[in-house]
């Protein structure tokens, strides 16, 4: 799917430590949509500073997913337990 980039992009190393990305729009609009892709299985959470293997969303390796953030601009991420280190990309889109 083609998407128009409307804000920041974060490319982060995935490991066992939770990281955080704050999505922002450059055009001043308030609704934030993001595109997430990972090279290894990752866990993401919207709005919390911690991503948890037992309760949060799995992003499969090699897949691209799109989300609309309704009440937060924060995305936390962590490598799925037992997976090899990799990378995750989070981009603000239209």
């Amino acid at each position: 799917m083609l998407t128009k980039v409307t804000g920041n992009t974060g490319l982060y190393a995935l490991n066992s430590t939770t990281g955080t990305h704050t999505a922002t729009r450059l055009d001043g609009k308030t609704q934030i949509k993001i595109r997430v892709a990972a090279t290894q299985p990752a866990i993401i959470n919207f709005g919390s500073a911690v991503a948890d293997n037992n309760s949060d969303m799995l992003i499969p390796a090699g897949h691209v997913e799109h989300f609309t953030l309704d009440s937060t601009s924060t995305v936390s991420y962590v490598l799925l337990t037992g997976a090899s280190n990799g990378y995750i990309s989070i981009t603000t889109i239209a």
Side-chain angles (χ1 to χ4, degrees):
M1 171 191 286
L2 294 176
T3 53
K4 178 181 176 185
V5 175
T6 60
N8 63 333
T9 295
L11 178 63
Y12 305 101
L14 279 171
N15 53 50
S16 60
T17 302
T18 298
T20 303
H21 172 82
T22 301
T24 57
R25 288 190 67 141
L26 301 176
D27 58 9
K29 296 183 181 178
T30 57
Q31 185 182 52
I32 297 175
K33 294 180 182 180
I34 60 170
R35 177 181 65 214
V36 179
T39 62
Q40 293 294 329
I43 303 297
I44 62 171
N45 180 297
F46 304 125
S48 174
V50 177
D52 186 297
N53 275 277
N54 297 315
S55 61
D56 293 326
M57 193 175 317
L58 173 66
I59 300 296
H63 285 76
V64 177
E65 301 289 343
H66 295 81
F67 302 97
T68 299
L69 306 179
D70 291 325
S71 60
T72 186
S73 61
T74 302
V75 181
S76 59
Y77 55 88
V78 69
L79 182 69
L80 180 68
T81 300
S84 300
N85 291 353
Y87 291 92
I88 188 167
S89 169
I90 304 169
T91 303
T92 304
I93 60 170

